[in-house]
């Protein structure tokens, strides 16, 4: 994830003319990818016309992979709360965490795909930044 986002920032940095523009463009893409990455909104509530953005987002692949890695095969315990928000003492509901993942729209079978996509996007971003940097240097001569 870190390499992927660093590659994205490096690619944008090679394309923009100034530091300020680079910060603005990088910020735009980071916020856009974060918004469609699964942290803020679940995949099922994203409008169909905008769903494709999540497949460009390193946040989507990283979030889903981390959730699967941490929760698959575990048992989650949920403690009901009363009207004031206080947890009910001595009472919890055991639930397989896979059910929680499915409720969030996360499919454990996608783990390998997510890790592979982070690697692929990392390679793409690093290659693009190298190509753009070479084009920029050759254009300056």
């Amino acid at each position: 994830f870190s390499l992927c986002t660093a590659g994205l920032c490096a690619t944008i940095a090679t394309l923009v003319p100034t530091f300020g523009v680079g910060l603005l463009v990088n910020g735009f893409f980071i916020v856009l990818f974060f918004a469609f990455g699964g942290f803020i909104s679940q995949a099922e509530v994203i409008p169909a016309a905008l769903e494709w953005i999540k497949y460009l987002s390193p946040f989507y692949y990283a979030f889903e992979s981390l959730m699967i890695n941490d929760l698959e095969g575990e048992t989650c315990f949920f403690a009901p709360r009363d009207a004031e928000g206080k947890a009910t003492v001595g009472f919890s509901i055991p639930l397989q965490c896979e059910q929680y993942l499915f409720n969030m729209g996360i499919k454990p079978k996608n783990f390998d795909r997510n890790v592979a996509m982070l690697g692929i996007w990392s390679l793409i971003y690093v290659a693009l930044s190298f190509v753009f940097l070479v084009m920029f240097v050759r254009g300056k001569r």
Side-chain angles (χ1 to χ4, degrees):
F1 172 75
S2 296
L3 181 61
C4 189
T5 53
L8 170 65
C9 293
T11 301
I12 292 170
T14 58
L15 290 173
V16 298
T18 64
F19 181 74
V21 173
L23 284 176
L24 183 67
V25 174
N26 271 320
F28 170 77
F29 279 103
I30 294 298
V31 168
L32 178 72
F33 288 161
F34 184 76
F36 289 91
F39 293 113
I40 297 174
S41 60
Q42 294 178 1
E44 284 79 32
V45 299
I46 296 173
L50 300 175
E51 187 177 13
W52 60 272
I53 297 173
K54 76 178 182 182
Y55 297 110
L56 301 177
S57 171
F59 290 96
Y60 168 71
Y61 298 114
F63 176 69
E64 196 168 87
S65 297
L66 288 172
M67 291 292 286
I68 293 166
N69 186 60
D70 288 347
L71 296 179
E72 187 179 28
E74 298 292 325
T75 301
C76 297
F77 293 93
F78 296 92
R81 300 194 175 270
D82 62 16
E84 286 127 20
K86 295 178 185 171
T88 307
V89 178
F91 182 72
S92 63
I93 302 168
L95 180 70
Q96 291 299 314
C97 292
E98 278 91 358
Q99 184 61 48
Y100 178 69
L101 292 174
F102 291 129
N103 289 348
M104 291 188 61
I106 296 174
K107 298 169 186 70
K109 66 178 180 161
N110 291 344
F111 180 80
D112 293 334
R113 180 207 66 179
N114 293 339
V115 173
M117 288 304 296
L118 280 172
I120 290 168
W121 277 113
S122 298
L123 292 174
I124 289 170
Y125 289 138
V126 169
L128 283 174
S129 62
F130 177 75
V131 167
F132 294 143
L133 188 61
V134 168
M135 289 171 45
F136 175 73
V137 169
R138 286 190 180 170
K140 286 284 189 176
R141 291 183 183 183

